[in-house]
Amino acid sequence: MDFDAMFEAQLESLRKEGNYRVFAELERRCGAFPKARSHDDDAPDEVTVWCSNDYLGMGQHPVVRQAMKDAVDQCGTGAGGTRNISGTNCHHIALERELSDLHGKEDALLFTSGYVSNWAALSTLGSRLPGAVILSDAANHASMIEGIRHSRAQKVIWKHNDPEDLDRKLSALPANAPRIVAFESVYSMDGDICPMEEIIEVAEKHGAMTYLDEVHAVGLYGPRGGGVSEARGLADRITLIEGTLGKAFGCMGGYIAGSASLCDFIRSFASGFIFTTALPPAVAAAATASIRHLKRSDTERQAQRAQVARLRARLDAHGIPHLPNDSHIIPVMIKDPVKCRVLADILMRDFGIYVQPINYPTVPKGTERLRFTPGPLHSDADIEHLVAALATLWKQCAIAHAVA
């Protein structure tokens, strides 16, 4: 049997649909972010990155870099094992304490990525709580969906950001069943923010557990970077807060925060925690330094918000369509996978602007977009160059100047 032919047939289908992914080979240069060196033959030597999840540029921050270098000199590189077998380092414990403090929770638990933390926590809760039902927002991330699927628990999907539909779905379930309401604060593709208080009130009314994914909000919202739940004074009413160290904190890893019993329960039963090598101590040290800095400093958050507002205003001035939202994410709607890919290629090749096309299955077909994430290190000149390039391409490609 020719397996390679079978692989190539499906890859060719992806190419014809315009959904085949091409990776840009970049070299992040320390101190130059959001500029990066491109190693692609059909791109300028230097490009400006407009789609990074290093939202505040903390991956380049001197305090964070120094903490990582010091920890390498202190501990070496890898952790040397799973957390259970020789892999727990003092830097892991310090980071977990920093995270529990960030969210005002009793404890926190580290994972190797935000994807793994969602997958492991939801799959463990759903499989270990007898008769559990997980109520998942219709727009939840793939990691949450996979965790729920793996749990084999009953799943109920409620309409995106619709507390009334959640109330109806909860009312239809047995009152004695453990119910887990899983949702996100900031949804990464549309950039919309959930009606958090209303969702919590519905969950509390039914005695349900709340599971909140704050990966696109931690570091960015709240007076200390605790996310939307901190900004709205609701963190104490959330049962479990899940987050990442790989976005606004500029490092790598995921985590959950909650009661001591909850974190110990996940630690003791989650295969995604038990059987994987621990984060390198240097990564944990860098993340700790980043969190501590952003607890004290609001400078990065304020600078980012200013550049987000500036880019939105300039897009409006040129009639370039972007989805309105209250977050830092600016989706410019293309609504065609091939055109989306072509526009991204031209921006890279002719203008030195790197933005990744977002196509199916990341977003539904017909909602393809370019997703821009302005940060505090993008200059006003960077914004003007981007908008001028987009305006030129909009005219050339005859894309409608409105969001349908």
Side-chain angles (χ1 to χ4, degrees):
M1 185 171 288
D2 190 345
F3 288 103
D4 280 348
M6 297 168 69
F7 302 150
E8 286 298 330
Q10 293 196 38
L11 290 170
E12 186 58 29
S13 295
L14 272 184
R15 294 185 185 97
K16 289 178 179 178
E17 294 166 0
N19 292 323
Y20 181 76
R21 288 173 168 82
V22 178
F23 298 159
E25 184 182 351
L26 303 177
E27 180 182 336
R28 281 164 61 98
R29 292 181 297 171
C30 195
F33 187 77
K35 306 296 183 186
R37 181 185 176 192
S38 172
H39 288 268
D40 293 335
D41 294 335
D42 56 351
D45 289 340
E46 183 179 84
V47 300
T48 303
V49 180
W50 276 101
C51 54
S52 175
N53 286 341
D54 187 359
Y55 291 132
L56 299 177
M58 293 302 293
Q60 306 273 310
H61 197 283
V63 170
V64 179
R65 287 160 35 209
Q66 191 61 50
M68 180 175 279
K69 288 186 282 189
D70 289 346
V72 168
D73 290 340
Q74 175 192 5
C75 303
T77 53
T82 65
R83 288 290 298 273
N84 182 50
I85 305 176
S86 83
T88 294
N89 186 279
C90 61
H91 292 294
H92 298 123
I93 303 303
L95 176 53
E96 287 171 341
R97 289 174 180 163
E98 203 68 46
L99 288 164
S100 62
D101 173 77
L102 177 67
H103 295 294
K105 299 297 185 185
E106 290 180 344
D107 206 354
L109 188 67
L110 281 174
F111 293 85
T112 50
S113 73
Y115 191 103
V116 173
S117 57
N118 264 334
W119 178 87
L122 281 167
S123 64
T124 302
L125 289 167
S127 63
R128 300 289 309 189
L129 296 177
V133 181
I134 303 178
L135 297 100
S136 178
D137 184 288
N140 276 344
H141 189 266
S143 59
M144 301 175 79
I145 295 168
E146 287 296 323
I148 296 167
R149 181 180 295 141
H150 188 261
S151 76
R152 299 187 179 179
Q154 180 183 348
K155 177 179 69 174
V156 176
I157 298 175
W158 47 287
K159 293 178 183 177
H160 178 50
N161 281 347
D162 189 338
E164 292 182 359
D165 189 53
L166 173 62
D167 189 28
R168 287 191 293 269
K169 298 290 172 60
L170 280 165
S171 297
L173 294 171
N176 62 347
R179 287 149 297 167
I180 304 165
V181 176
F183 61 108
E184 302 180 35
S185 57
V186 178
Y187 288 84
S188 61
M189 289 301 114
D190 285 354
D192 52 331
I193 300 177
C194 75
M196 190 174 295
E197 186 168 14
E198 292 89 335
I199 292 170
I200 293 170
E201 287 174 352
V202 170
E204 289 175 342
K205 170 185 169 183
H206 293 276
M209 172 182 171
T210 43
Y211 182 111
L212 174 64
D213 177 315
E214 285 258 45
V215 297
H216 290 277
V218 290
L220 299 167
Y221 300 91
R224 300 195 311 156
V228 176
S229 56
E230 183 196 27
R232 298 184 180 179
L234 298 169
D236 62 321
R237 295 169 66 183
I238 301 289
T239 313
L240 182 154
I241 295 174
E242 184 267 349
T244 185
L245 306 168
K247 293 182 171 56
F249 293 127
C251 296
M252 177 186 177
Y255 66 89
I256 61 168
S259 70
S261 295
L262 170 59
C263 291
D264 197 18
F265 176 78
I266 301 299
R267 181 190 72 87
S268 299
F269 293 111
S271 62
F273 176 84
I274 295 169
F275 296 108
T276 191
T277 300
L279 283 173
V283 173
T288 302
S290 182
I291 294 164
R292 286 176 180 166
H293 176 83
L294 289 173
K295 282 179 177 177
R296 299 188 300 266
S297 173
D298 201 40
T299 303
E300 292 82 5
R301 287 187 282 272
Q302 292 301 325
Q304 186 213 36
R305 287 167 195 163
Q307 296 308 73
V308 170
R310 178 181 291 274
L311 178 54
R312 284 193 179 279
R314 298 301 294 144
L315 291 173
D316 287 339
H318 286 268
I320 296 171
H322 57 98
L323 288 183
N325 61 52
D326 295 324
S327 78
H328 57 284
I329 294 166
I330 303 179
V332 170
M333 305 306 291
I334 309 301
K335 303 183 180 180
D336 178 274
V338 175
K339 193 173 288 186
C340 199
R341 174 77 261 174
V342 168
L343 285 171
D345 289 344
I346 296 173
L347 284 169
M348 184 77 143
R349 184 192 68 214
D350 295 349
F351 298 95
I353 291 168
Y354 172 53
V355 59
Q356 187 68 17
I358 307 296
N359 291 346
Y360 178 84
T362 307
V363 295
K365 292 181 179 180
T367 67
E368 293 80 10
R369 77 233 13 222
L370 301 175
R371 176 184 175 273
F372 295 94
T373 54
L377 301 179
H378 285 104
S379 68
D380 293 353
D382 289 334
I383 291 175
E384 290 305 314
H385 178 61
L386 169 63
V387 173
L390 287 172
T392 298
L393 293 183
W394 246 244
K395 293 175 184 176
Q396 292 176 355
C397 299
I399 299 175
H401 284 42
V403 179

